[in-house]
Amino acid sequence: MYGLPRRVPALHLGETLYHEPTRPSGLSGAAAGILSRSFTLALAAVETRRETAGRLANVLSARDDIQVLRPVKGCRSSYLRLPALLNDETARAALEDGARVGIAPGYPRTLPDLVQARPLALNETDGFPGATELVGRLFTFATHTRVGRRGIRLVEGWVQGAW
């Protein structure tokens, strides 16, 4: 199912889009009502994502070529997705077959590659080697509330080489 939304061009999934900043505006009454009624559900979803991220981190730590990125000491992540750095060979495998188990590349290109962001770069001539490496190695793993045991087993099979 992970591949289906990526095939809908209007969603722009996996793209880096730049939007000119706009002035913040107030929250509508309908949006405030939805927010107040969904707050408890959102907190429960965060806890589920944290648990899923912990289980996935344990699975991924079995491989020396995968480095799970951890929150800064003293902080807790809400884990919209679990980030990890993959070596070149594992990154190629993730690009080829990772979508079926919820693995997605982090960024398609560096921020300085966006025409609108170039004027913000103070060292444009340096080439941004760190950002370029990150684009090739950063992948994220699904942590949403529907991943469940089956999703973790799929990632475990991928990690063990059943791909």
Side-chain angles (χ1 to χ4, degrees), residues 9-33:
L11 295 177
H12 301 287
L13 296 179
E15 296 180 29
T16 302
L17 301 176
Y18 178 84
H19 299 281
E20 288 291 332
T22 60
R23 183 173 294 287
S25 61
L27 193 62
S28 72

Side-chain angles (χ1 to χ4, degrees), residues 59-96:
V59 167
L60 297 172
S61 67
R63 295 271 297 262
D64 292 336
D65 55 349
I66 299 175
Q67 177 189 355
V68 176
L69 301 178
R70 308 287 182 171
V72 173
K73 187 176 181 178
C75 297
R76 291 181 71 202
S77 175
S78 62
Y79 288 109
L80 292 176
R81 294 186 63 84
L82 177 68
L85 296 175
L86 282 56
N87 75 5
D88 290 342
E89 183 179 336
T90 307
R92 280 191 293 278
L95 285 172
E96 290 173 16

Side-chain angles (χ1 to χ4, degrees), residues 112-135:
D113 287 339
L114 293 173
V115 174
Q116 301 91 334
R118 279 191 198 133
L120 302 174
L122 300 177
N123 57 338
E124 189 175 355
T125 59
D126 293 345
F128 307 100
T132 302
E133 179 182 355
L134 194 62
V135 164

Side-chain angles (χ1 to χ4, degrees), residues 94-155:
L95 285 172
E96 290 173 16
D97 196 37
R100 81 175 169 83
V101 297
I103 304 171
Y107 300 101
R109 55 190 171 171
T110 67
L111 282 176
D113 287 339
L114 293 173
V115 174
Q116 301 91 334
R118 279 191 198 133
L120 302 174
L122 300 177
N123 57 338
E124 189 175 355
T125 59
D126 293 345
F128 307 100
T132 302
E133 179 182 355
L134 194 62
V135 164
R137 294 188 56 209
L138 179 65
F139 284 77
T140 62
F141 294 74
T143 60
H144 57 77
T145 57
R146 300 190 68 131
V147 169
R149 290 185 179 132
R150 181 178 183 275
I152 292 170
R153 281 194 309 270
L154 286 171
V155 171

